[in-house]
Amino acid sequence: MREPKAFVGIGLSSRCSAEELATLVAAALTEAGPLAVAGLATLDRRTGHPALQALAAARGWAVTGLSPDDLQAQADRIRSGSDRVRALTGSGSVCEAAALAAAGPGSLLRLSRRQSAQATVAVAVCGGNERP
């Protein structure tokens, strides 16, 4: 059986290290189960973050940047949100909303927000790929 195609949504502070992000993403993917990761997604102004770029380069994943409006469009589909995040980014969620937006219509969260000290991650599978 083929592994479902998925996107990893990432929210991170300017202080997040490459090691912290790589460790968090690896743990999230282990928890989410077998997946074919199509790429990483985040807030557009974070796409150049060194930790994100290091992870993308090490794993051969593309990085998709999404506007606050793109993220906010997922508001009714996210499982966790924050007024603090909304004040900082213009959207109540970054990682969950980014994963869902990048995975496209019909996508589903496989793993809701997981966090470390300086980052959050979530995993969404593309529509038609979710296991029962």
Coordinates of all heavy atoms in Angstrom, one line a residue, residues 70-118:
D70 N -4.5 33.3 3.8 CA -4.6 31.9 3.4 C -4.7 31.0 4.6 O -5.5 30.0 4.6 CB -3.3 31.4 2.6 CG -3.1 32.1 1.3 OD1 -4.1 32.4 0.7 OD2 -2.0 32.2 0.8
L71 N -4.0 31.4 5.7 CA -4.0 30.6 6.9 C -5.4 30.8 7.6 O -6.0 29.8 8.0 CB -2.9 31.0 7.9 CG -1.5 30.8 7.4 CD1 -0.5 31.2 8.4 CD2 -1.3 29.3 7.0
Q72 N -5.9 32.0 7.7 CA -7.1 32.3 8.3 C -8.3 31.6 7.6 O -9.3 31.3 8.2 CB -7.3 33.8 8.4 CG -8.5 34.2 9.3 CD -8.4 33.7 10.7 OE1 -7.3 33.6 11.3 NE2 -9.6 33.4 11.3
A73 N -8.2 31.4 6.3 CA -9.2 30.7 5.5 C -9.5 29.3 6.1 O -10.5 28.7 5.8 CB -8.9 30.7 4.1
Q74 N -8.5 28.8 6.8 CA -8.6 27.4 7.4 C -9.2 27.4 8.8 O -9.3 26.4 9.4 CB -7.3 26.7 7.4 CG -6.6 26.6 6.1 CD -7.4 25.9 5.0 OE1 -8.0 24.8 5.3 NE2 -7.5 26.4 3.8
A75 N -9.6 28.6 9.3 CA -10.0 28.7 10.7 C -11.1 27.7 11.2 O -11.0 27.2 12.3 CB -10.6 30.1 10.9
D76 N -12.0 27.4 10.3 CA -13.1 26.4 10.7 C -12.6 25.0 10.7 O -13.3 24.1 11.1 CB -14.3 26.6 9.9 CG -14.1 26.3 8.4 OD1 -12.9 26.4 7.9 OD2 -15.1 26.0 7.7
R77 N -11.4 24.7 10.3 CA -10.8 23.4 10.2 C -9.7 23.0 11.2 O -9.3 21.9 11.3 CB -10.3 23.1 8.7 CG -11.4 23.4 7.7 CD -10.8 23.2 6.3 NE -10.4 21.8 6.1 CZ -9.5 21.4 5.3 NH1 -8.8 22.2 4.6 NH2 -9.2 20.1 5.2
I78 N -9.3 24.0 11.9 CA -8.2 23.8 12.8 C -8.7 23.3 14.1 O -9.8 23.5 14.5 CB -7.3 25.1 13.0 CG1 -8.1 26.2 13.6 CG2 -6.7 25.5 11.7 CD1 -7.3 27.4 14.1
R79 N -7.8 22.5 14.8 CA -8.2 22.0 16.1 C -7.7 22.8 17.3 O -8.3 22.7 18.4 CB -7.6 20.6 16.3 CG -8.2 19.6 15.3 CD -7.6 18.2 15.5 NE -8.1 17.3 14.4 CZ -7.5 16.2 14.1 NH1 -6.5 15.8 14.8 NH2 -8.0 15.4 13.2
S80 N -6.7 23.6 17.1 CA -6.2 24.5 18.2 C -5.8 25.8 17.6 O -5.3 25.9 16.5 CB -5.0 23.8 18.8 OG -3.9 23.7 17.9
G81 N -6.1 26.8 18.3 CA -5.8 28.2 17.9 C -5.5 29.0 19.1 O -5.7 28.6 20.2
S82 N -5.0 30.2 18.8 CA -4.6 31.1 19.9 C -4.8 32.6 19.5 O -4.4 33.0 18.4 CB -3.1 30.8 20.1 OG -2.5 31.8 20.8
D83 N -5.3 33.3 20.5 CA -5.4 34.8 20.3 C -4.0 35.4 20.2 O -3.8 36.4 19.4 CB -6.2 35.4 21.4 CG -7.7 35.0 21.3 OD1 -8.2 34.7 20.2 OD2 -8.4 35.1 22.4
R84 N -3.1 34.9 20.9 CA -1.7 35.4 20.9 C -1.1 35.2 19.5 O -0.5 36.1 18.9 CB -0.8 34.7 21.9 CG 0.6 35.1 21.9 CD 1.4 34.4 23.0 NE 2.8 34.7 22.9 CZ 3.6 34.0 22.1 NH1 3.2 32.9 21.5 NH2 4.9 34.3 22.1
V85 N -1.3 34.1 18.9 CA -0.8 33.8 17.5 C -1.5 34.7 16.5 O -0.9 35.3 15.6 CB -1.0 32.3 17.2 CG1 -0.7 32.1 15.7 CG2 -0.1 31.4 18.0
R86 N -2.8 34.9 16.7 CA -3.6 35.8 15.8 C -3.0 37.2 15.9 O -2.9 37.9 14.9 CB -5.0 35.8 16.2 CG -5.9 36.6 15.2 CD -7.3 36.7 15.5 NE -8.3 35.7 15.6 CZ -8.2 34.3 15.7 NH1 -7.3 33.8 15.7 NH2 -9.2 33.5 15.8
A87 N -2.7 37.7 17.1 CA -2.1 39.0 17.2 C -0.8 39.2 16.6 O -0.4 40.2 16.0 CB -2.0 39.4 18.7
L88 N 0.0 38.1 16.6 CA 1.4 38.1 16.0 C 1.4 37.9 14.5 O 2.2 38.4 13.8 CB 2.3 37.1 16.6 CG 2.6 37.3 18.1 CD1 3.3 36.1 18.7 CD2 3.5 38.5 18.2
T89 N 0.4 37.1 14.0 CA 0.5 36.6 12.6 C -0.7 37.0 11.7 O -0.6 37.0 10.5 CB 0.6 35.1 12.5 OG1 -0.6 34.5 13.0 CG2 1.8 34.6 13.3
G90 N -1.8 37.4 12.3 CA -3.0 37.6 11.6 C -3.9 36.4 11.4 O -4.9 36.5 10.7
S91 N -3.5 35.3 11.9 CA -4.2 34.0 11.9 C -4.1 33.4 13.2 O -3.1 33.4 13.9 CB -3.6 33.1 10.8 OG -4.2 31.8 10.9
G92 N -5.2 32.7 13.6 CA -5.2 32.0 14.9 C -4.4 30.8 15.0 O -4.2 30.2 16.0
S93 N -3.9 30.3 13.8 CA -3.1 29.1 13.8 C -2.1 29.2 12.7 O -2.4 29.8 11.6 CB -4.0 27.9 13.5 OG -3.2 26.7 13.2
V94 N -0.9 28.8 12.9 CA 0.0 28.7 11.8 C 0.3 27.3 11.4 O 0.0 26.9 10.2 CB 1.4 29.4 12.1 CG1 2.4 29.2 11.0 CG2 1.2 30.9 12.4
C95 N 0.7 26.4 12.3 CA 1.1 25.0 11.8 C -0.1 24.2 11.3 O 0.0 23.7 10.2 CB 1.8 24.3 12.9 SG 0.8 23.9 14.4
E96 N -1.2 24.2 12.0 CA -2.4 23.4 11.5 C -2.9 24.0 10.2 O -3.2 23.3 9.3 CB -3.4 23.3 12.6 CG -3.1 22.4 13.7 CD -4.2 22.2 14.7 OE1 -5.3 22.8 14.6 OE2 -3.9 21.5 15.7
A97 N -3.1 25.4 10.2 CA -3.7 26.0 9.1 C -2.8 25.9 7.8 O -3.2 25.6 6.7 CB -3.9 27.5 9.4
A98 N -1.4 26.0 8.1 CA -0.5 25.9 6.9 C -0.5 24.4 6.4 O -0.5 24.3 5.1 CB 0.9 26.2 7.4
A99 N -0.5 23.4 7.2 CA -0.6 22.1 6.8 C -1.8 21.8 5.9 O -1.8 21.2 4.8 CB -0.5 21.1 7.9
L100 N -3.0 22.3 6.4 CA -4.2 22.1 5.7 C -4.3 22.8 4.4 O -4.7 22.3 3.4 CB -5.4 22.5 6.6 CG -5.7 21.5 7.8 CD1 -6.6 22.2 8.8 CD2 -6.4 20.2 7.3
A101 N -3.9 24.1 4.4 CA -3.9 24.9 3.2 C -3.0 24.3 2.1 O -3.3 24.2 1.0 CB -3.5 26.3 3.5
A102 N -1.8 23.9 2.5 CA -0.8 23.3 1.5 C -1.3 22.0 1.0 O -1.1 21.6 -0.2 CB 0.5 23.1 2.2
A103 N -2.0 21.2 1.9 CA -2.5 19.9 1.4 C -3.7 20.0 0.5 O -4.0 19.0 -0.1 CB -2.8 19.0 2.7
G104 N -4.3 21.1 0.5 CA -5.4 21.4 -0.5 C -6.8 20.9 0.0 O -7.0 20.4 1.1
P105 N -7.8 21.1 -0.9 CA -9.1 20.8 -0.7 C -9.3 19.3 -0.3 O -8.6 18.4 -0.8 CB -9.9 21.0 -2.0 CG -9.0 22.0 -2.7 CD -7.6 21.6 -2.3
G106 N -10.1 19.1 0.7 CA -10.4 17.7 1.2 C -9.3 17.2 2.1 O -9.4 16.0 2.5
S107 N -8.3 18.0 2.4 CA -7.2 17.5 3.3 C -7.8 17.4 4.7 O -8.8 18.0 5.1 CB -6.0 18.5 3.3 OG -6.4 19.8 3.7
L108 N -7.1 16.5 5.5 CA -7.4 16.3 6.9 C -6.2 16.3 7.8 O -5.1 15.9 7.3 CB -8.1 14.9 7.0 CG -9.4 14.7 6.3 CD1 -9.8 13.2 6.3 CD2 -10.5 15.5 6.9
L109 N -6.4 16.8 9.0 CA -5.3 16.8 9.9 C -5.0 15.3 10.3 O -5.9 14.7 10.8 CB -5.5 17.6 11.2 CG -5.3 19.1 11.0 CD1 -5.8 19.8 12.3 CD2 -3.9 19.4 10.7
R110 N -3.8 14.9 10.2 CA -3.4 13.5 10.7 C -2.9 13.7 12.1 O -3.1 12.8 12.9 CB -2.4 12.9 9.7 CG -1.7 11.7 10.3 CD -2.5 10.4 10.2 NE -2.7 9.9 8.9 CZ -2.0 9.0 8.3 NH1 -0.9 8.6 8.8 NH2 -2.4 8.6 7.1
L111 N -2.2 14.8 12.3 CA -1.6 15.1 13.6 C -1.8 16.6 13.9 O -1.4 17.4 13.2 CB -0.1 14.8 13.6 CG 0.6 14.9 14.9 CD1 0.1 13.7 15.9 CD2 2.1 14.8 14.8
S112 N -2.6 16.9 15.0 CA -2.8 18.2 15.4 C -1.5 18.8 16.0 O -0.5 18.1 16.2 CB -4.0 18.4 16.3 OG -3.8 17.6 17.5
R113 N -1.6 20.0 16.4 CA -0.4 20.8 16.8 C 0.4 20.0 17.9 O -0.1 19.6 18.9 CB -0.8 22.1 17.4 CG 0.4 23.0 17.8 CD -0.1 24.3 18.3 NE -0.9 24.0 19.6 CZ -0.9 24.9 20.5 NH1 -0.4 26.1 20.5 NH2 -1.6 24.6 21.6
R114 N 1.7 19.9 17.7 CA 2.7 19.5 18.7 C 3.7 20.6 18.8 O 4.0 21.3 17.8 CB 3.4 18.2 18.2 CG 2.5 17.0 18.0 CD 1.7 16.6 19.2 NE 1.0 15.4 19.1 CZ -0.3 15.3 18.9 NH1 -1.0 16.3 18.7 NH2 -0.9 14.1 18.8
Q115 N 4.2 20.8 20.0 CA 5.1 21.9 20.2 C 6.3 21.6 21.0 O 6.4 20.7 21.7 CB 4.3 23.1 20.8 CG 3.9 22.9 22.2 CD 3.1 24.0 22.8 OE1 2.1 24.4 22.2 NE2 3.6 24.6 23.9
S116 N 7.3 22.4 20.7 CA 8.6 22.5 21.5 C 8.7 23.9 22.1 O 7.7 24.7 22.0 CB 9.8 22.2 20.6 OG 9.9 23.2 19.6
A117 N 9.8 24.3 22.6 CA 9.9 25.6 23.2 C 9.8 26.7 22.2 O 9.2 27.7 22.5 CB 11.3 25.7 23.9
Q118 N 10.3 26.5 20.9 CA 10.3 27.6 19.9 C 9.6 27.2 18.6 O 9.7 28.0 17.7 CB 11.7 28.0 19.6 CG 12.5 28.4 20.8 CD 12.0 29.6 21.5 OE1 11.5 30.5 20.8 NE2 12.1 29.7 22.8

